Amino acid sequence: MTAVDGLPPLDAGLGAELREFTGELRALFLGLGPAADAFAARCGTDPEVLADYLTAVRVPPWEFVETLLDAVRGSAPSPVVRERLYRSRMAALRVARPIGRAVCQLEGQLHAAEREMRQAEERAEQTGQALAELDAADPAGAGRAELLAEEYDRAREQSARAGARRTLLQRQLALVERQQGTSAAPPAPTGAEPGDGPPPKILLVDDRRENLVVLEALLGSHGHQLVAATSGPAALRALMEPDGYAAILLDVQMPGMDGYETAAHIRSRARTRDIPIVFVTAIGSEPDHAARAYAAGAADFLPKPVDPWAVRAKVASFVELHHARHPGA
């Protein structure tokens, strides 16, 4: 592959697995011909992200690969081709260990946020068009106009929330991928240098002490002040003095007051409603549970068993936001 084909040559230092997968990906993309630009727009991938995929800077999510396969002209790729590409992609991810699992997890969440944002924007556009086409002189259309206006506002709000999650997940991916091929932890977040003030507090909430021990082991050496609680009521007591909290890692499945109810109480208090909540749950990776988590006020979620790289990247991203919002804190 040469620059004549419209893409820069691959780095000579790439491993065999990543080179093979990226070469197949580039061949598929170039096979689209004039339809390549339309494909990029249709799949909602930023040009910079697409360039990263085609130059082996990042391994794309499988959903992106399937969309590319489906866009190829001519006969649909056979199951054998799909299986070969799937295995090739997994081999490419494995060379990025120990971060491969975290990359897959974060890419999946990012793709879901992008898809939700596009769908909400499309719904807002359709609703806005329907609203514009209503006959203002028709008395019967007044009620319809009010409903459409409410739906338009809801769609725009959903798009904004999904867009904020997308930006957050892109930052988390950058924190993880920066360490590709190393065993180092994500770097200290910007503005979190020692001496800049007290370390940010992270509230860890889980009814199982062994789960708290795992989180404490993962985060304890990264300059955070960790506060542990084993129940929803204990978490609310810890938040009686809410200043300094950068994030709350909250288990969903707890006896008595579960994570959703705990989150509702946190959101109902003026002094705590803006502290980002990250649900940590064994069921959090399913789309319907993710939607419920976001509806309950979660800023993010982590599926169990937790991935060390994903945990550190997510916490680091919220610490960065905390320092940006509270300079000198």
Side-chain angles (χ1 to χ4, degrees):
M1 195 68 62
T2 69
V4 177
D5 298 300
L7 293 171
L10 293 175
D11 192 309
L14 283 180
E17 297 90 344
L18 194 54
R19 177 176 292 278
E20 178 182 349
F21 171 69
T22 307
E24 293 184 274
L25 200 69
R26 289 156 71 105
L28 284 170
F29 182 77
L30 291 172
L32 293 173
D37 290 340
F39 161 76
R42 180 164 63 85
C43 70
T45 302
D46 288 341
E48 295 82 1
V49 175
L50 182 59
D52 285 350
Y53 293 161
L54 297 174
T55 54
V57 173
R58 291 167 60 179
V59 178
W62 177 244
E63 191 168 356
F64 172 87
V65 179
E66 285 198 312
T67 303
L68 179 55
L69 280 169
D70 292 338
V72 174
R73 290 181 174 179
S75 59
S78 69
V80 174
V81 173
R82 289 180 183 270
E83 178 65 18
R84 188 187 74 244
L85 272 169
Y86 178 81
R87 292 180 180 277
S88 178
R89 177 179 176 274
M90 293 307 295
L93 278 173
R94 279 194 291 272
V95 302
R97 293 180 70 182
I99 68 171
R101 180 169 173 263
V103 170
C104 287
Q105 182 186 116
L106 294 172
E107 286 276 18
Q109 288 183 282
L110 175 60
H111 200 88
E114 290 174 337
R115 183 170 58 248
E116 181 182 347
M117 184 173 67
R118 290 196 305 272
Q119 291 172 345
E121 288 174 349
E122 290 171 2
R123 193 167 70 253
E125 183 178 353
Q126 293 167 359
T127 306
Q129 182 64 30
L131 188 60
E133 292 174 354
L134 280 178
D135 186 352
D138 181 6
R144 172 68 173 160
E146 184 176 352
L147 291 175
L148 286 172
E150 291 175 355
E151 174 61 22
Y152 176 84
D153 289 341
R154 283 195 297 269
R156 296 299 300 169
E157 289 172 4
Q158 183 180 7
S159 174
R161 289 194 299 270
R165 289 202 305 275
R166 177 189 186 221
T167 300
L168 183 67
L169 286 159
Q170 286 173 331
R171 178 57 184 150
Q172 292 169 4
L173 264 173
L175 286 168
V176 170
E177 291 176 334
R178 185 184 302 171
Q179 308 303 304
Q180 182 163 311
T182 77
S183 59
T190 303
E193 297 299 328
D196 281 353
K201 292 191 288 186
I202 308 296
L203 178 59
L204 312 175
V205 189
D206 198 302
D207 64 298
R208 299 176 67 89
R209 182 60 199 171
E210 58 268 32
N211 292 339
L212 291 174
V213 170
V214 169
L215 291 174
E216 288 168 343
L218 291 175
L219 299 171
S221 61
H222 291 261
H224 312 309
Q225 181 182 346
L226 304 179
V227 179
T230 56
S231 68
L236 297 178
R237 287 195 295 273
L239 291 169
M240 292 298 291
E241 295 294 334
D243 294 341
Y245 280 100
I248 302 168
L249 272 58
L250 177 60
D251 183 37
V252 168
Q253 296 173 298
M254 297 186 294
M257 184 185 295
D258 67 11
Y260 295 122
E261 186 178 356
T262 303
H265 281 288
I266 294 171
R267 288 284 171 256
S268 70
R269 298 178 176 181
R271 295 190 64 193
T272 59
R273 65 167 58 112
D274 293 328
I275 302 174
I277 296 174
V278 181
F279 278 132
V280 186
T281 174
I283 60 176
S285 58
E286 298 298 325
D288 55 337
H289 293 299
R292 184 180 178 188
Y294 293 135
D300 206 344
F301 71 87
L302 273 164
K304 290 182 180 178
V306 296
D307 179 89
W309 293 84
V311 170
R312 291 167 181 160
K314 287 181 182 294
V315 169
S317 66
F318 285 113
V319 169
E320 284 189 341
L321 286 175
H322 176 77
H323 282 279
R325 293 169 180 167
H326 306 87

